[in-house]
Amino acid sequence: MSVGSALTPLPVLIPIGGAALTMFLGRRPRLQRAITLAALSALVAVCAALIYLTDRHGTIAVDVGGWGQTVPGLGPLGIALVVDRLSALMMIVSSIVLLAVVLYAIGQGIRDGDERQPVSIFLPTYLVLAAGVCDAFLAGDLFNLFVAFEVLLTASFVLLTIGATTDRVRAGIAYVMVSMVSSLIFLFGIALIYAATGTLNMAELALRLSHVAPGTRSALFAVLLVAFGIKAAVFPLSTWLPDSYPTAPAPVTAVFAGLLTKVGVYAIIRAHSLLFPGGGLDTVLLVAALLTMLIGVLGAIAQSDIKRLLSFTLVSHIGYMVFGIALATRPGMAGAIFYVAHHIIVQTTLFLVAGLIERQAGASTLRRLGGLAAASPLLAMLFLLPALNLGGIPPFSGFLGKVALLQAGAQDGSVLAWVLVGGSVTTSLLTLYVLARVYSKAFWRSRADAPEGALAAASPTVLLDDADDVAFIDRADVGRMPVGMLVPTMGLIGVGLSLTVLAGPIFSYADRAAAEVLDRQQYISAVLR
Amino acid sequence: MTTAFVPLLLIGVLTCSGVYLLLERNLTRMLLGLLLVGNAINLLILTVGGPSGNPPIYGRTSSGRTTTADPLVQGMILTAIVISMGSAAFVLALAYRSYRLTTAEEVPDDPEDARVLQQKEDEADEDVVRPQPQRDEDEPAELDELPLPSKTESQRT
């Protein structure tokens, strides 16, 4: 048993074990925090080892339980866990984000009224979410992917409705209903695929689905796409996201925005290139990508709440990834993979900064914010860097990812691809406009000019939203930004900037990952042996 | 391969009823809809697993059958049932909480969404400070506490 196959189950086992331990230690917050930090740090280390091993020695496949195979050349009897370059990259980025966000949440909790926040369930649930996300990236068969989705969704239900206030229950109801419907559609797709092929192991499916009639194949693919499209928030299926994410506490929104939609994107990549290559639905995906980009960003223009506005840009930028996937070429896929990594980091950072803004200024809506650049130049810097990154200003990684996608689109050369290239540029400009508007209103204008600038939340809140509105001048002094919140935010900004500095190696890695994803042979031969 | 017609018909009927219930706004009905569709899909998984046969345990036979039933579909259904039970419990808790908070258990609209939708063009600009109606300084302060008469009420009178 090699080092790689010994490490492969760990990204699921470590957080699940941590969740069990922290659940036991619900009454001892310090120990709980220490265990959570240790578990997530170990997760980062394991994921770093896995990315090194897969890049060096190729795809690792483990059949859990070691039941062996019935016939040589068929899939394993147990559940298959597979790490290739794509899933290793997704896991390392996710684990870094998970660690940074939990540091932020703990820092916020220590500073602002820990005694009122329900830590005893927050950290265990957070670790279960981490396990679900990693399991989704590792899953080598469709049913295990379904279970991973359910694990992370159930954890996200609890995190989204934490404290169960009126707003959160309202947002939670919509989120839970939509998620459950998407899970049912996924299960329906699994049943149909099992009926057509008699297996759910993805490597076996890749071989067997090529013998299925093309019409049936397209139908199966369409069912899966609807299920994953809801999770990834692709346009006609995206309206649930801006309604439900903004009401959650800042760290929860940050981690949801970074990871949950990207799990859907990852599933779309797998379904599109491993299970149904050369699919006839690329045109549909391209049109959906275009509409996602444009409608998402147009929605963002109308918003005045920063968190809602960021949620709309999140939807909009999912379109870029779907664009890269639907091109089904190596440069397109490489661009999409790079863009996923970039977007996880930058979107999480922006939501963390929004949390800082909410803490310092007592509001997250532009109707109340103003004068923040004078009050805290550091905060202005923290917002500006990821905002420019998301807007695609050179030399940030958002620019590099977009250029890669535009080049891939131009190489494709069809009319629709050129329309999408135009749409991408427009979306990028509009994103910049939206963020510049936030910057000029929240940071540059005086607070007295804001229509409701005289109001603010009475005190900073951590996980519960129980602060009443008071007059801004009556607000208690919140002091400087806590170091425990600043350091993780700055760390994530640093990681985002390192995507620019190390763009060469990371891009060539994304290119190798794309080649591997499109080739399929490595994946299939690693699992079927 | 032949497939029994009755399970397929049942799956269709269950799915139709489930989708009909899902389109309601009442949470309990939506949950019932989800459960019906979930059961329809479980039945579908069972049906696609092939005909019934011996229990999938090595060396066991039942009423002289020659084939063995597919154990995988049973495992999948079991997992799906457990998951949907947990989710249903969570939805019921949410519905109860929603009822306690708002005395309604319907899927509500997003107030911020409604506000953005209804704002007029000049209101959309967060730079404009709208003049507040001046209050008569002689008014006693207690009047601040009274709720303002809403528009519909003033139109009615």
Side-chain angles (χ1 to χ4, degrees), chain A residues 164 194 243 304 308 445 451, chain B residues 70 97 110 112 115 126-127:
Chain A
Y194 190 72
D243 273 5
S304 43
R308 274 180 69 90
R445 94 179 146 185
Chain B
D70 186 351
R97 179 74 186 165
D110 185 1
E112 175 71 11
R115 193 191 65 73
E126 289 93 5
D127 274 337

Side-chain angles (χ1 to χ4, degrees), chain A residues 6-99:
Chain A
L7 286 179
T8 304
L10 287 184
V12 184
L13 288 181
I14 294 174
I16 282 281
L21 268 181
T22 47
M23 201 72 177
F24 265 120
L25 300 168
R27 301 255 173 113
R28 310 190 50 188
R30 285 190 181 194
L31 207 55
Q32 244 195 348
R33 286 190 198 118
I35 290 171
T36 309
L37 289 181
L40 289 176
S41 310
L43 183 63
V44 174
V46 169
C47 293
L50 279 176
I51 198 171
Y52 173 78
L53 287 172
T54 45
D55 198 30
R56 203 66 192 277
H57 305 297
T59 308
I60 306 167
V62 177
D63 48 325
V64 179
W67 302 106
Q69 281 149 311
T70 39
V71 186
L74 281 183
L77 279 177
I79 291 168
L81 297 180
V82 188
V83 198
D84 63 355
R85 289 195 178 95
L86 171 65
S87 40
L89 178 72
M90 299 295 283
M91 283 203 295
I92 184 81
V93 177
S94 309
S95 57
I96 290 174
V97 162
L98 282 164
L99 180 64

